[in-house]
Coordinates of all heavy atoms in Angstrom, one line a residue:
M1126 N 10.3 -42.8 -70.6 CA 10.0 -41.6 -71.4 C 11.0 -40.5 -71.0 O 11.3 -40.3 -69.9 CB 8.6 -41.1 -71.1 CG 7.8 -40.7 -72.4 SD 6.1 -40.5 -72.1 CE 6.1 -39.0 -71.3
A1127 N 11.4 -39.8 -72.0 CA 12.4 -38.7 -71.8 C 11.7 -37.5 -71.1 O 10.5 -37.3 -71.3 CB 12.9 -38.2 -73.2
P1128 N 12.4 -36.9 -70.2 CA 11.8 -35.8 -69.4 C 11.6 -34.7 -70.4 O 12.3 -34.5 -71.3 CB 12.9 -35.5 -68.4 CG 14.2 -36.0 -68.9 CD 13.8 -37.2 -69.8
K1129 N 10.5 -33.9 -70.1 CA 10.2 -32.8 -70.9 C 11.3 -31.7 -70.9 O 11.8 -31.4 -69.8 CB 8.9 -32.1 -70.5 CG 7.7 -32.5 -71.4 CD 6.6 -31.6 -71.1 CE 5.4 -32.0 -72.0 NZ 4.2 -31.3 -71.6
K1130 N 11.7 -31.2 -72.0 CA 12.7 -30.2 -72.1 C 12.1 -28.9 -71.7 O 11.0 -28.5 -72.2 CB 13.3 -30.2 -73.4 CG 14.4 -31.2 -73.6 CD 15.2 -31.0 -74.8 CE 16.3 -32.0 -75.0 NZ 16.4 -32.5 -76.3
R1131 N 12.8 -28.1 -71.0 CA 12.4 -26.7 -70.7 C 13.0 -25.8 -71.7 O 14.1 -26.0 -72.3 CB 12.9 -26.3 -69.3 CG 12.3 -27.1 -68.2 CD 11.1 -26.3 -67.6 NE 10.2 -27.2 -66.9 CZ 9.1 -26.8 -66.4 NH1 8.8 -25.6 -66.4 NH2 8.3 -27.7 -65.8
C1132 N 12.3 -24.7 -71.9 CA 12.9 -23.6 -72.8 C 14.2 -23.2 -72.1 O 14.3 -23.0 -70.9 CB 11.9 -22.4 -72.8 SG 12.6 -21.0 -73.6
Q1133 N 15.2 -23.0 -73.0 CA 16.6 -22.7 -72.5 C 16.8 -21.2 -72.5 O 18.0 -20.7 -72.3 CB 17.6 -23.4 -73.2 CG 17.6 -24.9 -72.9 CD 18.5 -25.7 -73.7 OE1 18.2 -26.2 -74.8 NE2 19.8 -25.9 -73.3
F1134 N 15.8 -20.4 -72.7 CA 16.0 -19.0 -72.7 C 16.2 -18.5 -71.2 O 15.5 -18.8 -70.3 CB 14.7 -18.3 -73.2 CG 14.8 -16.8 -73.2 CD1 15.6 -16.1 -74.1 CD2 14.1 -16.1 -72.2 CE1 15.7 -14.7 -74.0 CE2 14.2 -14.7 -72.1 CZ 15.0 -14.0 -73.0
I1135 N 17.3 -17.7 -71.1 CA 17.5 -17.1 -69.8 C 17.6 -15.6 -69.9 O 18.5 -15.1 -70.5 CB 18.8 -17.7 -69.1 CG1 18.8 -19.2 -69.0 CG2 19.1 -17.0 -67.8 CD1 20.1 -19.8 -68.7
G1136 N 16.6 -14.9 -69.5 CA 16.6 -13.5 -69.5 C 16.8 -12.9 -68.1 O 17.8 -13.2 -67.5
E1137 N 15.8 -12.2 -67.7 CA 15.8 -11.8 -66.3 C 15.8 -13.0 -65.4 O 16.4 -13.0 -64.3 CB 14.5 -11.0 -66.0 CG 14.3 -9.8 -67.0 CD 14.9 -8.5 -66.4 OE1 14.4 -8.1 -65.3 OE2 15.8 -7.9 -67.0
Q1138 N 15.1 -14.0 -65.8 CA 15.1 -15.3 -65.1 C 14.9 -16.4 -66.2 O 14.5 -16.1 -67.3 CB 14.0 -15.3 -64.1 CG 12.6 -15.0 -64.6 CD 11.6 -14.9 -63.4 OE1 12.0 -14.5 -62.4 NE2 10.4 -15.3 -63.7
Q1139 N 15.1 -17.6 -65.8 CA 15.0 -18.7 -66.7 C 13.5 -18.8 -67.1 O 12.6 -18.8 -66.3 CB 15.4 -20.0 -66.0 CG 15.1 -21.3 -66.7 CD 16.3 -21.8 -67.5 OE1 17.4 -21.8 -67.1 NE2 16.0 -22.2 -68.8
C1140 N 13.3 -19.0 -68.4 CA 11.9 -19.2 -68.9 C 11.4 -20.6 -68.4 O 12.2 -21.6 -68.5 CB 11.9 -19.1 -70.4 SG 10.3 -19.5 -71.1
N1141 N 10.2 -20.7 -67.9 CA 9.8 -22.0 -67.3 C 8.8 -22.7 -68.2 O 8.1 -23.7 -67.8 CB 9.3 -21.9 -65.9 CG 8.1 -20.9 -65.8 OD1 7.6 -20.5 -66.8 ND2 7.7 -20.6 -64.6
Q1142 N 8.7 -22.2 -69.5 CA 7.8 -22.9 -70.4 C 8.5 -24.2 -70.9 O 9.7 -24.3 -71.0 CB 7.6 -22.0 -71.6 CG 7.0 -20.6 -71.2 CD 5.6 -20.5 -71.7 OE1 4.8 -21.4 -71.5 NE2 5.3 -19.4 -72.4
A1143 N 7.6 -25.1 -71.3 CA 8.2 -26.3 -71.9 C 8.7 -26.0 -73.3 O 8.0 -25.2 -74.1 CB 7.1 -27.4 -72.0
A1144 N 9.8 -26.5 -73.7 CA 10.4 -26.3 -75.1 C 9.5 -27.0 -76.1 O 9.0 -28.1 -75.8 CB 11.8 -26.7 -75.1
L1145 N 9.4 -26.5 -77.3 CA 8.7 -27.2 -78.3 C 9.6 -28.2 -78.9 O 10.8 -28.1 -79.0 CB 8.4 -26.2 -79.5 CG 7.4 -25.0 -79.1 CD1 7.2 -24.2 -80.4 CD2 6.1 -25.6 -78.6
R1146 N 9.0 -29.3 -79.3 CA 9.8 -30.4 -79.9 C 10.1 -30.0 -81.4 O 9.2 -29.5 -82.0 CB 9.0 -31.7 -79.9 CG 8.8 -32.2 -78.4 CD 8.1 -33.5 -78.4 NE 8.9 -34.6 -79.0 CZ 8.4 -35.8 -79.3 NH1 7.2 -36.1 -79.0 NH2 9.1 -36.7 -79.8
I1147 N 11.2 -30.4 -81.8 CA 11.7 -30.2 -83.2 C 11.7 -28.7 -83.6 O 12.8 -28.1 -83.7 CB 10.9 -31.0 -84.2 CG1 10.9 -32.5 -83.8 CG2 11.4 -30.8 -85.6 CD1 9.8 -33.3 -84.4
V1148 N 10.6 -28.0 -83.7 CA 10.6 -26.6 -84.1 C 11.1 -25.7 -83.1 O 11.5 -24.6 -83.4 CB 9.2 -26.1 -84.6 CG1 8.7 -26.9 -85.8 CG2 8.1 -26.3 -83.4
G1149 N 11.1 -26.2 -81.8 CA 11.7 -25.3 -80.7 C 13.2 -25.3 -80.7 O 13.8 -24.5 -80.0
Q1150 N 13.8 -26.2 -81.5 CA 15.3 -26.2 -81.5 C 15.8 -25.2 -82.5 O 15.5 -25.2 -83.7 CB 15.8 -27.6 -81.9 CG 17.3 -27.6 -81.7 CD 17.9 -29.0 -81.9 OE1 17.7 -29.6 -83.0 NE2 18.5 -29.6 -80.9
C1151 N 16.7 -24.3 -82.0 CA 17.3 -23.3 -82.8 C 18.3 -23.9 -83.8 O 19.1 -24.7 -83.3 CB 17.9 -22.2 -81.9 SG 18.8 -21.0 -82.9
A1152 N 18.2 -23.6 -85.0 CA 19.1 -24.1 -86.0 C 20.5 -23.6 -85.9 O 21.5 -24.1 -86.3 CB 18.6 -23.8 -87.4
H1153 N 20.6 -22.4 -85.2 CA 21.9 -21.8 -85.0 C 22.7 -22.3 -83.8 O 23.9 -22.7 -83.9 CB 21.8 -20.3 -84.9 CG 21.1 -19.7 -86.1 ND1 21.6 -19.7 -87.4 CD2 19.8 -19.2 -86.2 CE1 20.8 -19.1 -88.2 NE2 19.6 -18.9 -87.6
C1154 N 22.0 -22.3 -82.6 CA 22.7 -22.7 -81.4 C 22.3 -24.0 -80.9 O 22.8 -24.5 -79.9 CB 22.5 -21.6 -80.3 SG 20.9 -21.4 -79.8
S1155 N 21.4 -24.7 -81.6 CA 20.8 -26.0 -81.2 C 20.4 -26.1 -79.7 O 20.4 -27.2 -79.1 CB 21.7 -27.2 -81.6 OG 23.0 -26.9 -81.6
S1156 N 19.9 -25.0 -79.2 CA 19.2 -25.0 -77.9 C 17.7 -25.1 -78.1 O 17.3 -24.9 -79.2 CB 19.5 -23.7 -77.1 OG 20.9 -23.7 -76.8
N1157 N 17.0 -25.6 -77.1 CA 15.6 -25.7 -77.2 C 14.8 -24.6 -76.6 O 15.1 -24.2 -75.5 CB 15.2 -27.1 -76.7 CG 15.8 -28.2 -77.4 OD1 15.4 -28.6 -78.5 ND2 16.9 -28.8 -76.8
F1158 N 13.8 -24.2 -77.3 CA 13.0 -23.0 -76.8 C 11.5 -23.2 -76.9 O 11.1 -24.1 -77.7 CB 13.4 -21.7 -77.5 CG 14.9 -21.4 -77.3 CD1 15.8 -21.8 -78.3 CD2 15.3 -20.7 -76.2 CE1 17.1 -21.5 -78.1 CE2 16.6 -20.4 -76.0 CZ 17.6 -20.8 -77.0
C1159 N 10.8 -22.5 -76.1 CA 9.3 -22.5 -76.2 C 8.9 -21.6 -77.4 O 9.7 -21.0 -78.1 CB 8.7 -21.9 -75.0 SG 9.0 -20.1 -74.8
A1160 N 7.6 -21.6 -77.7 CA 7.1 -20.8 -78.9 C 7.5 -19.4 -78.8 O 7.7 -18.7 -79.8 CB 5.6 -21.0 -78.9
N1161 N 7.6 -18.8 -77.6 CA 7.9 -17.4 -77.5 C 9.4 -17.1 -77.8 O 9.7 -16.0 -78.2 CB 7.6 -16.9 -76.1 CG 6.1 -17.0 -75.7 OD1 5.3 -16.9 -76.6 ND2 5.8 -17.2 -74.5
H1162 N 10.2 -18.0 -77.5 CA 11.7 -17.8 -77.6 C 12.4 -18.5 -78.7 O 13.6 -18.5 -78.8 CB 12.3 -18.1 -76.3 CG 11.8 -17.2 -75.1 ND1 11.3 -17.8 -74.0 CD2 11.7 -15.9 -75.0 CE1 10.9 -16.8 -73.2 NE2 11.2 -15.6 -73.8
R1163 N 11.7 -19.2 -79.6 CA 12.4 -20.1 -80.5 C 13.1 -19.3 -81.6 O 14.1 -19.8 -82.2 CB 11.4 -21.2 -81.1 CG 10.4 -20.6 -82.0 CD 9.5 -21.7 -82.5 NE 8.5 -21.3 -83.5 CZ 8.8 -21.3 -84.8 NH1 9.9 -21.7 -85.2 NH2 7.9 -20.8 -85.6
L1164 N 12.6 -18.1 -82.0 CA 13.3 -17.4 -83.0 C 14.6 -16.8 -82.5 O 14.7 -16.4 -81.4 CB 12.4 -16.2 -83.5 CG 11.1 -16.7 -84.2 CD1 10.3 -15.4 -84.6 CD2 11.4 -17.5 -85.4
P1165 N 15.7 -16.8 -83.3 CA 17.0 -16.3 -82.9 C 16.9 -14.9 -82.3 O 17.6 -14.7 -81.3 CB 17.8 -16.3 -84.2 CG 17.2 -17.4 -85.0 CD 15.7 -17.3 -84.7
E1166 N 16.1 -14.1 -82.8 CA 15.9 -12.7 -82.3 C 15.4 -12.7 -80.9 O 15.6 -11.8 -80.1 CB 15.0 -11.9 -83.2 CG 15.5 -11.6 -84.6 CD 15.2 -12.7 -85.6 OE1 14.7 -13.8 -85.1 OE2 15.4 -12.5 -86.8
H1167 N 14.6 -13.7 -80.6 CA 13.8 -13.7 -79.4 C 14.6 -14.3 -78.2 O 14.2 -14.2 -77.1 CB 12.5 -14.4 -79.5 CG 11.5 -13.6 -80.4 ND1 10.4 -14.2 -80.9 CD2 11.6 -12.4 -80.9 CE1 9.8 -13.2 -81.7 NE2 10.5 -12.2 -81.7
H1168 N 15.6 -15.1 -78.5 CA 16.5 -15.6 -77.4 C 17.9 -15.0 -77.5 O 18.8 -15.5 -76.9 CB 16.5 -17.1 -77.3 CG 17.0 -17.8 -78.5 ND1 16.3 -18.3 -79.6 CD2 18.3 -18.1 -78.9 CE1 17.1 -18.9 -80.5 NE2 18.3 -18.8 -80.1
A1169 N 18.0 -13.9 -78.2 CA 19.3 -13.2 -78.3 C 20.4 -14.3 -78.7 O 21.4 -14.4 -78.0 CB 19.7 -12.5 -77.0
C1170 N 20.1 -15.0 -79.7 CA 20.9 -16.1 -80.1 C 22.4 -15.7 -80.3 O 22.6 -14.7 -81.1 CB 20.4 -16.7 -81.4 SG 21.3 -18.2 -81.9
H1171 N 23.3 -16.3 -79.6 CA 24.7 -15.9 -79.7 C 25.3 -16.3 -81.0 O 26.3 -15.7 -81.4 CB 25.5 -16.4 -78.5 CG 25.5 -17.9 -78.3 ND1 24.4 -18.5 -77.7 CD2 26.3 -18.8 -78.8 CE1 24.7 -19.8 -77.7 NE2 25.8 -20.0 -78.3
K1172 N 24.7 -17.3 -81.7 CA 25.2 -17.7 -83.0 C 24.8 -16.7 -84.1 O 25.3 -16.7 -85.2 CB 24.8 -19.1 -83.4 CG 25.3 -20.1 -82.4 CD 26.7 -20.6 -82.8 CE 27.2 -21.5 -81.8 NZ 28.3 -22.3 -82.2
M1173 N 23.7 -15.9 -83.9 CA 23.3 -15.0 -84.8 C 24.4 -14.0 -85.2 O 24.5 -13.5 -86.3 CB 22.0 -14.3 -84.3 CG 20.7 -15.0 -84.6 SD 20.4 -15.1 -86.4 CE 19.6 -13.5 -86.7
E1174 N 25.1 -13.6 -84.2 CA 26.2 -12.7 -84.4 C 27.2 -13.2 -85.4 O 27.7 -12.5 -86.2 CB 26.9 -12.4 -83.0 CG 26.1 -11.4 -82.1 CD 25.7 -10.1 -82.8 OE1 26.7 -9.5 -83.3 OE2 24.6 -9.7 -82.8
D1175 N 27.5 -14.5 -85.2 CA 28.4 -15.2 -86.2 C 27.8 -15.1 -87.6 O 28.6 -14.8 -88.5 CB 28.6 -16.7 -85.8 CG 29.3 -16.8 -84.5 OD1 29.6 -15.8 -83.9 OD2 29.4 -18.0 -84.0
C1176 N 26.5 -15.3 -87.7 CA 25.9 -15.3 -89.0 C 26.0 -13.9 -89.6 O 26.3 -13.8 -90.8 CB 24.4 -15.7 -88.9 SG 24.2 -17.4 -88.5
K1177 N 25.7 -12.9 -88.8 CA 25.8 -11.6 -89.3 C 27.2 -11.2 -89.7 O 27.4 -10.6 -90.8 CB 25.4 -10.6 -88.2 CG 23.9 -10.4 -88.1 CD 23.6 -9.3 -87.1 CE 22.2 -9.5 -86.5 NZ 22.1 -8.9 -85.2
Q1178 N 28.2 -11.7 -88.9 CA 29.6 -11.5 -89.2 C 29.9 -12.1 -90.6 O 30.6 -11.5 -91.4 CB 30.4 -12.0 -88.1 CG 31.9 -11.5 -88.2 CD 32.0 -10.0 -88.1 OE1 31.3 -9.3 -87.3 NE2 32.9 -9.4 -88.9
Q1179 N 29.5 -13.3 -90.8 CA 29.7 -14.1 -92.0 C 29.1 -13.4 -93.2 O 29.8 -13.2 -94.2 CB 29.2 -15.5 -91.9 CG 30.1 -16.5 -91.3 CD 29.5 -17.8 -91.0 OE1 28.5 -18.2 -91.7 NE2 30.0 -18.5 -90.0
A1180 N 27.9 -12.9 -93.0 CA 27.2 -12.2 -94.1 C 28.0 -10.9 -94.4 O 28.2 -10.5 -95.6 CB 25.8 -11.9 -93.7
F1181 N 28.4 -10.3 -93.4 CA 29.2 -9.0 -93.5 C 30.5 -9.3 -94.3 O 30.9 -8.6 -95.2 CB 29.5 -8.4 -92.1 CG 30.4 -7.2 -92.2 CD1 29.8 -6.0 -92.4 CD2 31.7 -7.3 -91.9 CE1 30.6 -4.8 -92.5 CE2 32.5 -6.2 -91.9 CZ 32.0 -4.9 -92.2
N1182 N 31.2 -10.3 -93.9 CA 32.5 -10.7 -94.6 C 32.3 -11.0 -96.0 O 33.1 -10.7 -96.9 CB 33.2 -11.8 -93.8 CG 33.7 -11.4 -92.5 OD1 33.9 -10.2 -92.3 ND2 34.0 -12.3 -91.6
R1183 N 31.2 -11.8 -96.3 CA 30.9 -12.2 -97.7 C 30.6 -10.9 -98.5 O 31.2 -10.8 -99.6 CB 29.6 -13.0 -97.7 CG 29.9 -14.5 -98.0 CD 28.6 -15.2 -98.6 NE 27.5 -15.0 -97.7 CZ 27.1 -15.7 -96.7 NH1 27.9 -16.6 -96.3 NH2 26.1 -15.4 -96.0
N1184 N 29.8 -10.0 -98.0 CA 29.5 -8.8 -98.7 C 30.8 -8.0 -98.9 O 30.9 -7.4 -100.0 CB 28.5 -8.0 -97.8 CG 27.8 -7.0 -98.7 OD1 27.5 -7.2 -99.8 ND2 27.5 -5.8 -98.1
K1185 N 31.6 -7.9 -97.9 CA 32.9 -7.2 -98.0 C 33.7 -7.7 -99.1 O 34.3 -7.0 -99.9 CB 33.6 -7.2 -96.7 CG 34.8 -6.3 -96.5 CD 35.1 -6.2 -95.1 CE 36.5 -5.6 -94.9 NZ 37.5 -6.5 -94.5
A1186 N 33.9 -9.1 -99.1 CA 34.7 -9.7 -100.1 C 34.1 -9.4 -101.5 O 34.9 -9.2 -102.5 CB 34.7 -11.2 -99.9
K1187 N 32.8 -9.5 -101.6 CA 32.1 -9.2 -102.9 C 32.4 -7.8 -103.4 O 32.8 -7.6 -104.5 CB 30.6 -9.4 -102.7 CG 29.9 -9.3 -104.0 CD 28.4 -9.8 -103.8 CE 27.5 -9.5 -105.0 NZ 27.1 -8.1 -105.1
L1188 N 32.3 -6.8 -102.5 CA 32.5 -5.4 -102.8 C 34.0 -5.2 -103.2 O 34.3 -4.5 -104.2 CB 32.2 -4.5 -101.6 CG 30.7 -4.3 -101.3 CD1 30.5 -3.5 -100.1 CD2 30.0 -3.6 -102.5
E1189 N 34.9 -5.9 -102.5 CA 36.3 -5.7 -102.8 C 36.6 -6.3 -104.2 O 37.4 -5.7 -104.9 CB 37.1 -6.4 -101.7 CG 37.5 -5.3 -100.7 CD 38.0 -6.0 -99.4 OE1 38.4 -7.1 -99.4 OE2 38.0 -5.2 -98.4
S1190 N 36.0 -7.5 -104.5 CA 36.3 -8.1 -105.8 C 35.7 -7.2 -106.9 O 36.3 -7.1 -108.0 CB 35.7 -9.5 -105.9 OG 34.3 -9.5 -105.9
E1191 N 34.6 -6.6 -106.7 CA 34.0 -5.7 -107.7 C 34.9 -4.5 -107.9 O 35.1 -4.0 -109.0 CB 32.6 -5.3 -107.2 CG 31.5 -6.3 -107.6 CD 30.2 -6.1 -106.9 OE1 30.0 -5.0 -106.3 OE2 29.3 -6.9 -107.1
R1192 N 35.4 -4.0 -106.8 CA 36.2 -2.8 -106.9 C 37.5 -3.1 -107.6 O 38.0 -2.3 -108.4 CB 36.6 -2.3 -105.4 CG 37.1 -0.9 -105.4 CD 37.3 -0.4 -104.0 NE 36.2 -0.6 -103.1 CZ 36.2 -1.0 -101.9 NH1 37.4 -1.3 -101.3 NH2 35.1 -1.1 -101.2
T1193 N 38.0 -4.3 -107.4 CA 39.2 -4.8 -108.1 C 39.0 -4.8 -109.6 O 39.8 -4.3 -110.4 CB 39.7 -6.1 -107.6 OG1 39.8 -6.1 -106.2 CG2 41.0 -6.5 -108.2
V1194 N 37.8 -5.4 -110.0 CA 37.5 -5.4 -111.4 C 37.3 -4.0 -112.0 O 37.8 -3.7 -113.0 CB 36.1 -6.2 -111.6 CG1 35.6 -6.1 -113.0 CG2 36.4 -7.7 -111.2
A1195 N 36.6 -3.2 -111.2 CA 36.4 -1.8 -111.7 C 37.7 -1.1 -111.9 O 37.9 -0.4 -112.9 CB 35.5 -1.1 -110.7
S1196 N 38.7 -1.2 -111.0 CA 39.9 -0.5 -111.1 C 40.7 -1.1 -112.3 O 41.5 -0.3 -112.9 CB 40.7 -0.6 -109.8 OG 41.1 -1.9 -109.5
K1197 N 40.6 -2.3 -112.5 CA 41.3 -2.9 -113.7 C 40.8 -2.3 -115.0 O 41.5 -2.0 -115.9 CB 41.0 -4.4 -113.8 CG 42.1 -5.2 -113.0 CD 41.9 -6.7 -113.3 CE 42.7 -7.5 -112.2 NZ 41.9 -8.7 -111.8
I1198 N 39.4 -2.1 -115.0 CA 38.8 -1.5 -116.2 C 39.4 -0.1 -116.4 O 39.7 0.4 -117.5 CB 37.3 -1.5 -116.1 CG1 36.8 -3.0 -116.2 CG2 36.7 -0.7 -117.2 CD1 35.4 -3.2 -115.7
V1199 N 39.4 0.7 -115.3 CA 39.9 2.0 -115.3 C 41.3 2.1 -115.8 O 41.7 3.0 -116.6 CB 39.7 2.7 -113.9 CG1 40.4 4.1 -113.9 CG2 38.2 2.8 -113.6
T1200 N 42.2 1.2 -115.3 CA 43.6 1.4 -115.6 C 44.0 0.7 -116.9 O 45.0 0.9 -117.5 CB 44.5 0.7 -114.5 OG1 44.0 -0.6 -114.2 CG2 44.4 1.5 -113.2
A1201 N 43.0 -0.1 -117.5 CA 43.4 -0.8 -118.7 C 43.4 0.2 -119.9 O 42.7 1.1 -120.0 CB 42.3 -1.9 -119.0
Ligands
ZN2421 ZN1 10.7 -19.6 -73.4
ZN2422 ZN1 19.8 -19.8 -81.1

């Protein structure tokens, strides 16, 4: 039998709770966490920053393309 996985949250000290199976695995960083730490916000997920950055870039590109269209209309 596979040994029980521990929550991989490390804050002030390593969390010693058993990690949840399947739902305890973070979709972003694929680490395993207990019920308290499984949400990206709750384990300070380092991949969340990437997601935020990606969303930011997408939004920026969208705004820029809209601005380009708007300026074309103005100058036409
Ligand atoms: Zn934990
Ligand atoms: Zn994570």
